[in-house]
Each structure stands twice: as structure tokens, then as C-alpha cells.
Amino acid sequence: MTEQKQLRLGAFMRPVSLHTGAWRYPGAYPDANFNFKHIKSFAQKLEAAKFDAFFMADHLAVLNMPVEALKRSHTVTSFEPFTLLSALAAVTEKIGLVATASTTFDQPYHIARRFASLDHISEGRAGWNIVTTSNPDAALNFGLDEHVEHDERYHRAREFYDVVTGLWDSFADDAFIRDVESGIFFDPEKMHVLAHKGESLSVRGPLNIARTPQGWPVIVQAGQSEPGRQLAAETAEVVFAAPRDLEGAKSLYADIKGRMQAIGRNRDHLKILPAAFVIVGDTVEDARAKRAKLDSLVHYDSALASLSISLGHDASGFDPDGPLPEIPETNASKSSREQVIRLAEKENLTVRQLAQRLGGYGGLAFVGTPQTIADEMEQWLFEEGSDGFNVVFPFLPQGLDDVTDRLVPELQRRGLFRRDYEGTTLRDHLGLPRPENRFFAQVAQAAQ
Amino acid sequence: MTEQKQLRLGAFMRPVSLHTGAWRYPGAYPDANFNFKHIKSFAQKLEAAKFDAFFMADHLAVLNMPVEALKRSHTVTSFEPFTLLSALAAVTEKIGLVATASTTFDQPYHIARRFASLDHISEGRAGWNIVTTSNPDAALNFGLDEHVEHDERYHRAREFYDVVTGLWDSFADDAFIRDVESGIFFDPEKMHVLAHKGESLSVRGPLNIARTPQGWPVIVQAGQSEPGRQLAAETAEVVFAAPRDLEGAKSLYADIKGRMQAIGRNRDHLKILPAAFVIVGDTVEDARAKRAKLDSLVHYDSALASLSISLGHDASGFDPDGPLPEIPETNASKSSREQVIRLAEKENLTVRQLAQRLGGYGGLAFVGTPQTIADEMEQWLFEEGSDGFNVVFPFLPQGLDDVTDRLVPELQRRGLFRRDYEGTTLRDHLGLPRPENRFFAQVAQAAQ
Ligand SMILES: Cc1cc2nc3c(=O)[nH]c(=O)nc-3n(C[C@H](O)[C@H](O)[C@H](O)COP(=O)(O)O)c2cc1C
Ligand SMILES: Cc1cc2nc3c(=O)[nH]c(=O)nc-3n(C[C@H](O)[C@H](O)[C@H](O)COP(=O)(O)O)c2cc1C
């Protein structure tokens, strides 16, 4: 019996929709991004649909955009990931809970402890999306006058990872014996003091929390640069990617899995999940109409800014209702401009429609019926464009219900997605091994 | 109608019992300190008994003690406060949730955000116990070779408080209008950029989260030193005190409330809650027997260390089953030695019993029947020794059930404690005002 390849599905939930017009869609909850009761119901629906994980992005500043765009953005007020995911841990049972945390603006002792605590509270469902934080405004909230340089950020990130995973190994899995008779609570021979002194960090340890159900929470990475890909190949178990199309996805997939093999890691021990915007309709036309409606809710001011950036040319003088005019060459990114021009031609978009597309959600999108979307996902999986997807919902709750109630059953019917959870931890869902403790021999059955 | 003075009751829940023998008590849950299901059931019982708050202490290192004592301590593995309290927020409705966070080893942007997020998720039940962290081992986990000096810690703490509360005021209460029609999510006129540049901290802001249900989470302080008391008088709304007896309590109470008046604060806007160890029995003798049984579970090694420290004299040569011998004067704290000698005489304790008392829980204790304990609490309340107590449980679950099922009804019968919550927020429970936003005029009814 050969096992069929299966998709892994995460849900991109901060913001609950990345589309900037989402909160205005007819029937949407305008406060969905910041209403715990709503978010709880989304998590429970995603769990009922057997999603692998609920993913919280994170930013350490109000996003830097002109005030005209900012005041229209539903991202300004959000829950902090650890508090939100811990609350969700108490009202869900199986779904993985992935929080983003920055290696540039936090301390490894805090990060190690919080993820360990979340992994214990959730009984093995935590994941850490390691980011180095690219928004320069974050630095200003943490006592710095300017941003930490890219290379330095990645250098610290690598060391930070070593320290955090070292702290997670502070205790053997069977250190806590709690022998009431003898009065011994834990075996001090099974406690390790890390005593790390490196280039960027100096941390003694031990961590004041037991080793976690998963050994280590699942390691996630989303960096796209050269050092970002290398960090992923060395450390990550999940990569959140952002390819534009299947071609770009295949090349990223081959690149990262190749880097893994080069350093002796098993390719299957890392799952690549591109972010994918999904709109389900009764027909392809119906789905496209939903998208057009949604895009039309992006204010033209914000939309124009996005279009101008992509073109490397001020678009504010263009006729909004005409086609995209000829644009002189500039020294802005040529590939980005050409992509935009191609998109306008292919879908026959006016300047306004094009601008609103880019200002709403410009990334990879699957827009169609459950069948056409399942076809595309299947192709990506079998052609090694990805191991699954991190689904971006167009609007909530309806756009999420369409995925869980219509797309997921189609994927299940095809044997591409589980019908029930087979294990209890996020590692179980993703088919990832439990890491050994680097300081202590493995025990057959954790006593803790 | 004059309102009767009422007790405020908090529960000291990290560790769930401060008594080092607690986990070995017959019928106790040995893992109660680190079992989410147990802690959840304790929080729900405390809420059913109408407690004001569930309090999590916090330490940023494994507590520094000799390994012989450490291996017997149930404090080594604990949940991190934000993850635990957020999880509890999702499974309780009324009880306040107070987390400890350090101003020495964290960043104001993180702290402001997490408490704001917890206050939103819990719908107004968060409190922040501000500590400067006295354990020098913590410094070693945060890149320092030695501890930050006491004065410098308090100096930073005062500035940290200003920054955090300033960040909490980043948005007016009615900033988020979410007008679907016009597409305006929030009013940028109602956002304030803090742009703090002080001696220890530089933080721009704004915070990326709306102003919270309580305006600010409740501010708690537990420092005992001169700068600690002054910080409390200037900023705190609850003080966790640790007096040994009513006399000491009255003098602390008068001191802190006097300092408040000196700077023009209303005395009623700060509640002083000493930590109180409570053992309820059918008779006073029965309660004392429970305590003796509990103390006997403290290992003599740990107990001797505590006795030696209190006496300023190595006690390991003493006959464990004899009375405390004469001890030559040393230059250790005279008052501490005399207190120990008086305790041994008053309760007629052997060296072993004395050592185990000090090694178990040496602070303020109420040991008796519901009636005698209510008498004592009433006296403390009416003589201005305190505004209530932060209850320390002897062992769990029974010692907690004895308080909620037997002591609380007696306090309610006397009109000393509420029979039901009258409001929904921690500020409501404690009778504290909602702070105004320093940057925006108050609105009659928060739209957010
Ligand atoms: C799907 C996806 C999710 C991301 N989530 C976050 C996030 O939550 N917080 C963050 O600061 N950066 C996030 N990033 C940004 C990346 O961490 C990274 O900074 C960015 O891709 C630039 O890569 P580089 O720093 O390697 O050049 C995300 C990127 C992708 C593709
Ligand atoms: C009831 C009570 C609870 C406390 N909880 C904590 C705590 O959770 N974490 C901590 O680092 N210190 C805690 N402390 C210690 C105080 O914050 C403070 O450091 C200590 O009382 C010494 O005071 P000083 O620093 O003003 O000299 C607590 C003190 C008391 C009395």
C-alpha cells in the first residue's frame, strides 16, 4: 500500500483577511480581526475542517503607510499572538497554533519560555514562526534610532535559534518524577545548564519549564532572501512562502529542499506552504465576481499608491476608467512592472480595477469552484510547487465557510486531505519527527 | 445607608501553594502547579466563590537554592504568566487575572501590548504586578554578567510605567469607528504618537492595539523597600504586602496611604492585600494538626537551611527532637533571630518542627475554624491592617476547597465579602476608577 501524498493546510489569521477591503464586504464582520468571539468561532470551524494550523503573523509597530491608507486599514488594532493563541488553546483541542516572534526585538529566554508554555497548555500544538522583522519602524519602539542591518539580523537569528532550542532541552523528558514518598520532585542529573556565550547572546539557563510535549514546538520560517532561505534549510520544519505562480514556487521548492539535502537533512522534514488567497464560487464566473466586488471596496487612494509602487511610476494622472497607458522605462524593478502590465492585459482590467487588485491582495490566488481550486492545488502538490498551502481568506465569515464547507470536502473526496486528525500534536498533523534532546538520551515513554 | 467595608480577596496561584511540602500532602495533586486542567478547575472554583483575582507571581530563572533543596521544590517547572492567564481568560468570565512582569528584563512595548491584549481577551480583567526582579540569577539569563543595581532598577521601573501607560493611551476610546459605508476604519485624529525619549527608555509608539476595556489594566506592586513603597504610592492600585503581624501591617498601611495623600492621591484608589496562608479546620486544633502534618513533609535538609538563615547560625548540629538551644549573638539580623526564638517558645516547637515551619511557609498565617479566621480577617480590615488578602493555599485541591466552601460563606454571612460580582471588570470588583486617557477627552460611552 503506497500512501497518497497529502496537502497540509494552514490558515493565515492575522489579519483574519489580508485583503484590505475585507471588512467592508457585504455580510462581513467589520471587527473580525479584533473580536475574540469571532476569532474563536473561526478557530473552531477550522478545527472541525481538520486544518493543520492556525497562524498568527505579527508586527511590532503600527504598519508604516500614509495616514490616508492607514485610516482605512483593519490591521491597526490586533491581538498579540501569545495571548490570543493561548486563549484559543483553551477552547480548541487539535488544531496547531503558530505564533510569530521576532529574534531581533526579543530575548531568547522569554521566547523559549512562552512557546514552551503554549506547547504545554495546548498539549503539543505550538509552532514558532521565526522572523527577523523587516519593518524599520519596529526599531523605534525598542530604543533604537535605526533598524538593525539585514545581515546582522540573520546572524543573531541563527544564534537565537540555537539558544532557544538549547533552553528547550534544559530538562530530560523524564526529569520530573514527583515521588511523593521520597519527596524528590525532579532528578537534578536530568537538568542541563546551557551556559551559552556567543557573539550576540549570552544566556545561562536552565529554562524554568519542563521539556514540552512536542520536545520542541514546530519551527517555521518565512524569510525570502538568501540568508532567509539558508536559515530555513538549516532550521525550519515549515516554510511560509510567497511565490507568485507555480513556476516560481517550483524553483523555491527545489532550492530549499536542495539546500537541506546539501547539509544532510531529510527533505520530508520540512513542509513548504505558500500563502494562497482562495475565493470559492458556484462557477468560476461567480468566484471572479466576488473578487471584483471585494476589490472594488479598496479605496482608490490606497489602491493608487500600490499601483504606483509596482509600476515605479506615479499613476495618479491616469484615467481610472481607461486601460493602463504606455509607461516609460524607469529604474524600478522591471519584473514587477512587467507582471503588472501582463495582469492588466490578461484580465482586461481598467486602471482602477488593476490598482484595486494590487491594493487589495496582490499575491497568489485560487479563484474558482471547489473543483477547479482542488485541481490547481493537486497540481501544485504533485509537481512539487508546495506541500500544501497557508490559506488567506477573502472576507469573514463567509469566505472561510466556503473553504471549510465546500473546498475541504472536495479535497477529502480526492484523498488529498485528511478526514480526521490522526494524532494530537502539530508534529503529528504535519508528519514531523519529535526532536531528540541534545543533552540527554531519548526515553521510550516520556514520564512527564 | 452606610456601605459596609468589604474584604478584597485575591488568590496567590504561582506556585499554587507556596508551601514547599504541599505537593506531598495526602490527597494533593503532586503536579498541581503544572497541570493546566487542575489550574483551570481552581480558577473556576475561585470564580464561583467570587474572588477578585487570580494572581500569578513570576520568576525569570530557576530559583537559586542548593540542589538538595531544589530537587524537592515544586516551583522548578511553571507556566509562563501570559500564556496561562490568557488560556484561563477563555474559560472564566468574571475573575481578575493578574500577571507579574519585570521592568528590568523586558521592553515596555511588549509589556504594554500583552497586557492590553489580555485585557481585551478577558473583557477587562487584566492586572499588571510590576516587579523589578530581585533574583540576581535572572540577569544571567538576559545577557548580563551581574544584576542591575537596586536604585537603577527602580528608576527604570518608574519610567517604564510612564511609557507603558502612555502607550495604553495611544488611541482614544472611540477611535475605531469602522464605518463600512465611507471605508474609514479609525479616526487618525484619535491616535497619539508617544515619542518618548527618557533617561532609560526611548519608545515611539503608537501601540498597535486599541485602548482596553479597563482603560488601563489594574496596576499592582509588591516592592517592600523605600523606593518600592514610593513607587506603589505613586502608581499602584493594589499592593501585595508581606507583613508578619497586624502591627507591622498597620504601619505599612499607614505609610503607603500617607504617601498617597502627600502627593494628592485618593487613599481609596489603592487596596493593600497582604499574602495570607490560610488553613481551615473543624476546630482550631484540627487546623493546627493539618499544619503540623504539612510542615512534617518538608525535608529536613531544606528546613535546616531556612532555620540557619533565620538564626544567622548553623543549626545542623542541633538535636532535631530537642528544644531550640541558646544561640550566641551574631551580626545577622537580630529581629529575625528573635522572632524565631519567640515562635519556638510560643508554640513549644522542637528544632525539627521549627525548621520545617520556616522551610514550609514562614509568613503570615491564619490557622483555625471559619469563625476564628473570619474574626481575624475582620479585625485586620477594621483596624486598617489591610483592605483584604491575597490568599496562599496550603495544599490543593482540599485546602482551596476549604477556603471557598467554608471560609467564604462565613465571610459572606457577616457581610464582609460579596455574594455575587456587581460588575464585570477587575476595576469593578476592586472599586477602582477607570483612568482617563491623558491625550484625549473622555467620552461618555466608549464606542469601541
Ligand atoms: C507568508 C509570509 C508571512 C510572513 N509573516 C511575517 C510576520 O508575521 N512578521 C514579520 O515581521 N514578517 C513576516 N514575513 C516577512 C518575512 O519574515 C521576511 O522578513 C520577508 O519575507 C523578507 O525576507 P528577508 O528578510 O529574508 O529578506 C512574512 C513573509 C511571508 C512570505
Ligand atoms: C506578595 C509578594 C509577591 C511578590 N511577587 C513577586 C514576583 O512574582 N516576582 C518577583 O520577581 N518578585 C516578587 N516579589 C518581590 C517584590 O517585587 C520585591 O522585589 C521584593 O519585595 C523586594 O522589594 P524591593 O525590591 O522593593 O526591596 C513579591 C513580593 C511580595 C511581597
Side-chain angles (χ1 to χ4, degrees), chain B residues 103-380:
Chain B
T103 54
T104 304
F105 300 112
D106 215 321
Q107 293 276 348
Y109 200 85
H110 286 315
I111 293 296
R113 233 183 130 209
R114 279 192 200 107
F115 277 104
S117 193
L118 180 61
D119 207 45
H120 280 289
I121 288 172
S122 65
E123 299 185 306
R125 298 187 281 137
W128 173 25
N129 179 34
I130 302 183
V131 298
T132 62
T133 305
S134 53
N135 178 358
D137 278 8
L140 306 178
N141 290 330
F142 293 88
L144 303 178
D145 286 333
E146 40 183 76
H147 200 28
V148 183
E149 207 237 310
H150 194 271
D151 269 6
E152 195 183 324
R153 296 207 305 273
Y154 272 102
H155 196 87
R156 180 179 159 102
R158 187 64 181 78
E159 191 179 334
F160 201 108
Y161 163 88
D162 287 338
V163 174
V164 168
T165 53
L167 288 170
W168 284 335
D169 287 345
S170 290
F171 293 94
D173 286 311
D174 58 352
F176 291 87
I177 49 186
R178 299 189 181 92
D179 183 348
V180 170
E181 199 48 49
S182 69
I184 308 293
F185 196 76
F186 80 100
D187 178 355
E189 298 282 311
K190 297 194 170 168
M191 175 176 91
H192 182 265
V193 178
L194 187 65
H196 173 92
K197 276 200 193 292
E199 269 183 62
S200 314
L201 299 164
S202 150
V203 179
R204 192 176 70 162
L207 202 63
N208 52 1
I209 187 163
R211 198 159 193 261
T212 79
Q214 294 190 105
W216 302 352
V218 173
I219 303 293
V220 183
Q221 235 279 323
Q224 307 284 300
S225 62
E226 166 65 33
R229 289 170 183 219
Q230 189 57 29
L231 181 66
E234 290 174 17
T235 66
E237 300 175 290
V238 172
V239 163
F240 288 151
R244 290 193 167 260
D245 51 31
L246 181 51
E247 205 141 319
K250 283 177 174 174
S251 110
L252 180 74
Y253 192 98
D255 178 52
I256 290 180
K257 300 247 168 163
R259 287 175 194 247
M260 290 178 76
Q261 282 176 308
I263 57 167
R265 279 188 73 197
N266 181 332
R267 291 163 59 92
D268 292 338
H269 293 174
L270 186 156
K271 311 296 171 185
I272 299 184
L273 309 184
F277 185 73
V278 175
I279 298 190
V280 182
D282 296 334
T283 61
V284 173
E285 272 324 297
D286 177 44
R288 289 201 183 132
K290 288 183 184 176
R291 182 181 213 184
K293 168 86 192 159
L294 180 59
D295 284 348
S296 78
L297 298 171
V298 177
H299 195 275
Y300 195 50
D301 287 350
S302 329
L304 263 183
S306 304
L307 178 59
S308 301
I309 289 165
S310 302
L311 292 174
H313 185 97
D314 180 5
S316 60
F318 298 170
D319 172 10
D321 300 311
L324 189 67
E326 290 284 330
I327 298 143
E329 292 265 340
T330 69
N331 48 16
S333 159
K334 216 173 140 173
S335 70
S336 147
R337 188 177 59 241
E338 277 167 10
Q339 225 156 11
V340 172
I341 296 172
R342 234 182 300 132
L343 171 64
E345 281 172 5
K346 188 175 144 223
E347 297 196 24
N348 197 20
L349 303 173
T350 64
V351 166
R352 185 194 309 275
Q353 288 166 334
L354 181 65
Q356 286 173 328
R357 170 68 58 80
L358 300 174
Y361 183 79
L364 172 68
F366 296 135
V367 180
T369 64
Q371 291 69 35
T372 66
I373 297 171
D375 287 345
E376 289 188 276
M377 289 188 162
E378 190 165 350
Q379 186 187 11
W380 280 61

Side-chain angles (χ1 to χ4, degrees), chain A residues 12 55-59 100 129-135 150 153-154 222-229 240-242 275 390:
Chain A
F12 194 117
F55 164 62
M56 280 286 280
D58 197 41
H59 300 282
T100 297
N129 179 34
I130 302 183
V131 298
T132 62
T133 306
S134 54
N135 178 359
H150 193 272
R153 295 207 306 273
Y154 271 102
Q224 306 287 300
S225 62
E226 164 66 33
R229 289 170 182 218
F240 288 152
N390 206 14

Side-chain angles (χ1 to χ4, degrees), chain A residues 21 70 113 153 159 190 196 237 265 278 288 305 345 351 373-374 405 419 437:
Chain A
L70 190 65
R113 232 183 130 208
R153 295 207 306 273
E159 190 179 335
K190 298 192 170 169
H196 173 90
E237 300 175 293
R265 280 188 74 195
V278 175
R288 288 202 184 132
E345 281 172 5
V351 167
I373 298 171
D405 300 349
R419 285 179 190 274
N437 189 316

Side-chain angles (χ1 to χ4, degrees), chain A residues 14 23-25 30-34 36-37 40 58-64 67 70-91 105-111 113-115 117-118 120-121 123 137 139-145 167 171 176 178-188 191 197 201-211 299 448, chain B residues 14 23-25 30-34 36-37 40 58-64 67 70-91 105-111 113-115 117-118 120-121 123 137 139-145 167 171 176 178-188 191 197 201-211 299 448:
Chain A
R14 181 183 190 233
W23 65 279
R24 299 178 68 193
Y25 199 83
D31 65 345
N33 196 42
F34 195 62
F36 179 65
K37 292 204 175 83
K40 174 175 150 180
D58 197 41
H59 300 282
L60 297 173
V62 165
L63 292 183
N64 46 347
V67 74
L70 190 65
K71 75 182 184 189
R72 303 177 182 284
S73 165
H74 62 159
T75 63
V76 176
T77 180
S78 290
F79 296 109
E80 183 277 336
F82 286 100
T83 44
L84 181 66
L85 293 182
S86 304
L88 291 178
V91 294
F105 300 111
D106 215 321
Q107 293 277 345
Y109 200 85
H110 287 314
I111 293 297
R113 232 183 130 208
R114 280 194 199 104
F115 278 104
S117 193
L118 180 61
H120 280 289
I121 288 172
E123 297 183 310
D137 278 8
L140 306 178
N141 291 330
F142 292 89
L144 303 177
D145 286 333
L167 288 171
F171 293 93
F176 291 87
R178 299 189 181 93
D179 183 346
V180 170
E181 200 47 50
S182 69
I184 308 294
F185 195 77
F186 79 100
D187 178 355
M191 175 175 91
K197 276 198 194 296
L201 299 164
S202 150
V203 179
R204 193 176 68 161
L207 202 62
N208 52 2
I209 186 161
R211 198 158 194 262
H299 195 274
Q448 196 289 111
Chain B
R14 182 185 189 234
W23 66 277
R24 300 178 66 194
Y25 198 82
D31 65 345
N33 196 43
F34 195 61
F36 179 65
K37 293 206 175 84
K40 174 174 150 181
D58 197 42
H59 300 282
L60 298 172
V62 166
L63 292 182
N64 45 348
V67 73
L70 190 64
K71 74 182 184 188
R72 302 174 184 286
S73 166
H74 62 159
T75 63
V76 175
T77 179
S78 290
F79 295 110
E80 183 275 335
F82 285 100
T83 44
L84 182 66
L85 293 182
S86 304
L88 292 177
V91 294
F105 300 112
D106 215 321
Q107 293 276 348
Y109 200 85
H110 286 315
I111 293 296
R113 233 183 130 209
R114 279 192 200 107
F115 277 104
S117 193
L118 180 61
H120 280 289
I121 288 172
E123 299 185 306
D137 278 8
L140 306 178
N141 290 330
F142 293 88
L144 303 178
D145 286 333
L167 288 170
F171 293 94
F176 291 87
R178 299 189 181 92
D179 183 348
V180 170
E181 199 48 49
S182 69
I184 308 293
F185 196 76
F186 80 100
D187 178 355
M191 175 176 91
K197 276 200 193 292
L201 299 164
S202 150
V203 179
R204 192 176 70 162
L207 202 63
N208 52 1
I209 187 163
R211 198 159 193 261
H299 195 275
Q448 197 286 110

